Amino acid sequence: MTASPLLSINGGAGNASVAVGVCFSGNESSTFTNTHAIASRYFSAIFTVLGLSSNLFAFVVLVNAFRRTRSHSRSSFLLFLGALVVTDFMGLLVTGSVVVFFRSSGLRWTDLDPDCHLCNFMGMSMVFFSLCPLLLGASMAVERCVGINCPFAHSSTMSRSRVCYMLAGVVMTAGCISLLPLLGLGGYHIQNPGSWCFLNISEEPVDVVFCLVFSLVGLLSLATSFILNTTSVITLLRVYCRQDSAQRKRDYEVEMMVQLILIMVIATICWCPLLGFIATTVLFKMDLHILQLLLWIRFATWNQILDPWVYILFRRSVLKRLYPGIGPCKLREDPSLG
């Protein structure tokens, strides 16, 4: 990769100036404001701590469930859930640490990272850890759709090694997209209030293309999840309440489907505003409203906080304690399902 072109930004005294990377172009430090409530340092710290603790707790729950499970389809599903927890945790740890550091230290990005190396790293992390959960949600929908509609094919094709290949494909896809700005397509720029970096939302053709790639991949992942999950729910509704014992074995599939539907709903609510905002801003050449961007980023962060509570609260063992008479088609306890 070639060295980033440097710009000159006026210093704080006299005519002194400092050479800085291209990630500062159009974003002089004097334009950054920290006064609005949504840019408060406390937001970042609280969101980060809450998300990290929730995902850590969920990971412990998932590890215990995985050790006890004897169901092939359940173990595959738990691998996907574990990957989702890990990506949510790492995303909050990497990006949250940078934001909290800058917001609490009071340092300017131009002083600490004039060559934009840290900015590029954070921008890549933001894109990578944003797309991974969405792509994982679509992959989980594929796995459940095959498992519910073609159970025999699922048992022969969806081995643990095949699941690991799917997870590797998700990581490679998200990683390749996050690397595009370093290859000349788009760019990562420091964002208001000067404590984080993200893709550059501008009218430049390369920025427009990269913004659309990011938004469309996310939206297509959500659409895929919706279509496949709807198909799976329809199939389960047709068979679940039949009284023959063969269908009663599908109780664990209902539990997994409930969790997956909740994951999809949370992801849709949290991510659609940001993805739609980015796409419409570059397509219709609208002015970038930084407060809206910050608001939708906060929305997206809630996805990483709420996801683990789906795994923690919506297990059959928990639901049976809360609702012992859950309906005519009762959830039946299975020692493999924590």
Side-chain angles (χ1 to χ4, degrees):
M1 183 183 66
T2 59
S4 299
L6 297 179
L7 305 170
S8 180
I9 290 182
N10 290 334
N15 296 321
S17 62
V18 58
V20 295
V22 71
C23 65
F24 296 93
S25 61
N27 289 328
E28 295 193 16
S29 58
S30 60
T31 66
F32 296 137
T33 58
N34 304 323
T35 57
H36 200 279
I38 200 171
S40 169
R41 70 186 67 181
Y42 301 110
F43 267 112
S44 302
I46 292 172
F47 275 47
T48 301
V49 172
L50 182 59
L52 290 176
S53 57
S54 299
N55 280 283
L56 188 60
F57 184 25
F59 185 75
V60 174
V61 172
L62 285 172
V63 169
N64 291 333
F66 187 81
R67 288 175 176 173
R68 293 195 302 268
T69 188
R70 297 189 299 271
S71 166
H72 171 75
S73 60
R74 180 64 175 171
S75 64
S76 298
F77 187 73
L78 289 176
L79 283 174
F80 280 111
L81 287 181
L84 195 55
V85 167
V86 170
T87 54
D88 283 345
F89 180 88
M90 292 303 299
L92 284 168
L93 180 64
V94 173
T95 60
S97 299
V98 176
V99 173
V100 171
F101 170 76
F102 274 102
R103 300 295 286 117
S104 60
S105 67
L107 294 174
R108 297 194 313 169
W109 204 294
T110 50
D111 299 330
L112 190 65
D113 182 38
D115 295 323
C116 292
H117 299 310
L118 179 60
C119 184
N120 286 332
F121 172 75
M122 184 177 184
M124 290 171 55
S125 300
M126 290 282 289
V127 171
F128 177 81
F129 290 115
S130 296
L131 291 180
C132 269
L134 301 176
L135 292 170
L136 282 172
S139 300
M140 293 165 68
V142 171
E143 188 273 339
R144 280 294 78 219
C145 189
V146 174
I148 292 172
N149 292 281
C150 307
F152 295 107
H154 180 275
S155 61
S156 60
T157 61
M158 199 62 68
S159 61
R160 288 187 181 180
S161 60
R162 185 66 59 84
V163 172
C164 291
Y165 287 139
M166 293 179 66
L167 295 176
V170 167
V171 171
M172 289 181 62
T173 301
C176 289
I177 294 175
S178 68
L179 286 172
L180 289 178
L182 302 186
L183 301 176
L185 184 63
Y188 295 122
H189 280 216
I190 187 171
Q191 306 289 334
N192 201 314
S195 57
W196 62 295
C197 286
F198 194 42
L199 49 83
N200 188 32
I201 305 174
S202 75
E203 297 180 6
E204 293 294 326
V206 289
D207 292 328
V208 171
V209 171
F210 182 57
C211 288
L212 290 178
V213 168
F214 174 77
S215 299
L216 291 179
V217 169
L219 291 172
L220 286 174
S221 298
L222 291 173
T224 301
S225 298
F226 177 80
I227 294 171
L228 296 181
N229 288 338
T230 301
T231 302
S232 300
V233 167
I234 292 173
T235 301
L236 282 179
L237 289 176
R238 288 175 178 172
V239 302
Y240 179 62
C241 287
R242 295 177 185 174
Q243 296 303 311
D244 58 291
S245 58
Q247 300 303 337
R248 291 177 184 175
K249 295 179 182 179
R250 287 181 173 263
D251 284 343
Y252 71 92
E253 292 182 348
V254 174
E255 178 197 33
M256 291 188 287
M257 204 64 236
V258 168
Q259 292 175 342
L260 187 53
I261 290 295
L262 288 173
I263 290 171
M264 180 192 69
V265 170
I266 292 171
T268 301
I269 294 173
C270 293
W271 279 104
C272 275
L274 177 62
L275 297 174
F277 172 77
I278 293 173
T280 54
T281 299
V282 298
L283 280 176
F284 298 104
K285 299 181 179 179
M286 301 166 58
D287 293 333
L288 177 61
H289 297 284
I290 188 62
L291 290 181
Q292 288 188 33
L293 177 61
L294 287 172
L295 176 62
W296 301 141
I297 286 289
R298 297 296 188 204
F299 261 64
T301 305
W302 273 110
N303 181 68
Q304 298 169 305
I305 297 173
L306 295 176
D307 265 353
W309 291 102
V310 173
Y311 332 136
I312 295 169
L313 297 178
F314 289 89
R315 291 173 292 146
R316 291 201 298 163
S317 57
V318 174
L319 293 177
K320 282 177 68 68
R321 295 189 189 102
L322 296 176
Y323 305 101
I326 201 164
C329 300
K330 295 181 180 179
L331 295 173
R332 295 163 183 83
E333 189 67 35
D334 184 335
S336 70
L337 298 179

